[in-house]
Amino acid sequence: GQNIDQPTEMTATEGAIVQINCTYQTSGFNGLFWYQQHAGEAPTFLSYNVLDGLEEKGRFSSFLSRSKGYSYLLLKELQMKDSASYLCAVRGPNDYKLSFGAGTTVTVRA
Amino acid sequence: EAGVAQSPRYKIIEKRQSVAFWCNPISGHATLYWYQQILGQGPKLLIQFQNNGVVDDSQLPKDRFSAERLKGVDSTLKIQPAKLEDSAVYLCASSLKTGTGNEQFFGPGTRLTVL
């Protein structure tokens, strides 16, 4: 099975940087996804990591360390529209099923 | 490109009643997923289809939940009879195929309230 942990809530100021950590304990690993979910809306894809290292995509970056079972999502130059829940999801090795964490609610204040 | 469509968006029923949700995936997407998202939790996979075949339904409460994708395109998820704990958002997602790196695209969800 999969056990995925991420903080429940984080608050940051507009223009600042926030780092959302995700740790996982899994019976196998075949990639880690980050999704953004605004209240009342569907999750939308942000990033995918399968190898160790940093993937950068505009203001958002995602890092993975498979040996540590650890990932983070870095949000730079925060904007009010970044207020949302951020979901970490791990894909298992043989069934390609995504297991989601409970999500981290990020609130951006002016 | 049209996204994943779901209906209805909201549904309120009483316990022991039946309810059905409909999903139309992105055109050409062979893999379809139904998730249950309880308030404050991440989505939990209920069932995964590859074309019209079931790949994984290990977390589907089969005594009350059923799903089908008869022609390998649209899908329906049914709950009969509903319980209070079924109150959740039911998300449908699709991807081109099952496999590494194939991101899933989610629909807007159906918010179910069971009274």
Side-chain angles (χ1 to χ4, degrees):
Chain A
Q2 321 279 38
N3 186 25
I4 301 165
D5 289 314
Q6 47 182 134
T8 304
E9 295 181 339
M10 302 183 75
T11 301
T13 306
E14 199 173 13
I17 298 173
V18 70
Q19 177 175 314
I20 307 169
N21 296 324
C22 172
T23 58
Y24 61 90
Q25 295 171 311
T26 64
S27 56
F29 179 85
N30 198 15
L32 187 144
F33 293 76
W34 284 96
Y35 280 82
Q36 180 191 59
Q37 186 175 28
H38 285 99
E41 298 183 12
T44 54
F45 170 79
L46 288 179
S47 69
Y48 170 68
N49 295 69
V50 67
L51 298 176
D52 291 351
L54 187 68
E55 294 281 342
E56 297 188 83
K57 193 183 290 186
R59 295 188 297 112
F60 294 1
S61 304
S62 56
F63 171 84
L64 175 67
S65 169
R66 289 171 296 170
S67 63
K68 295 181 179 179
Y70 168 70
S71 173
Y72 68 72
L73 179 70
L74 194 69
L75 286 62
K76 304 176 201 172
E77 301 169 18
L78 279 172
Q79 302 175 10
M80 300 300 287
K81 67 179 182 180
D82 298 330
S83 292
S85 178
Y86 292 84
L87 299 162
C88 173
V90 174
R91 171 169 279 159
N94 297 319
D95 57 14
Y96 303 106
K97 181 168 63 180
L98 280 185
S99 297
F100 283 85
T104 300
T105 300
V106 172
T107 302
V108 181
R109 300 195 187 281
Chain B
E1 177 182 81
V4 177
Q6 290 187 246
S7 67
R9 291 294 312 277
Y10 304 92
K11 190 73 177 179
I12 300 174
I13 61 172
E14 295 188 349
K15 60 184 179 184
R16 291 188 287 273
Q17 285 187 321
S18 302
V19 65
F21 313 129
W22 173 82
C23 173
N24 188 350
I26 293 173
S27 177
H29 281 197
T31 309
L32 185 147
Y33 314 78
W34 281 102
Y35 288 88
Q36 180 192 58
Q37 187 174 23
I38 293 172
L39 188 65
Q41 299 181 18
K44 182 184 83 170
L45 181 69
L46 293 175
I47 189 167
Q48 176 181 338
F49 292 95
Q50 180 75 11
N51 296 308
N52 61 351
V54 175
V55 174
D56 186 333
D57 64 357
S58 58
Q59 297 190 96
L60 187 73
K62 298 181 187 62
D63 57 333
R64 297 183 302 106
F65 286 63
S66 64
E68 59 183 15
R69 194 185 184 200
L70 292 176
K71 297 182 179 178
V73 181
D74 292 8
S75 177
T76 56
L77 176 70
K78 296 179 182 177
I79 308 175
Q80 181 179 12
K83 293 185 175 182
L84 296 176
E85 59 260 36
D86 298 332
S87 294
V89 175
Y90 291 85
L91 295 164
C92 179
S94 70
S95 63
L96 269 176
K97 58 182 179 181
T98 300
T100 302
N102 273 288
E103 66 180 276
Q104 297 179 21
F105 295 84
F106 285 83
T110 297
R111 182 176 298 276
L112 174 67
T113 301
V114 182
L115 303 175

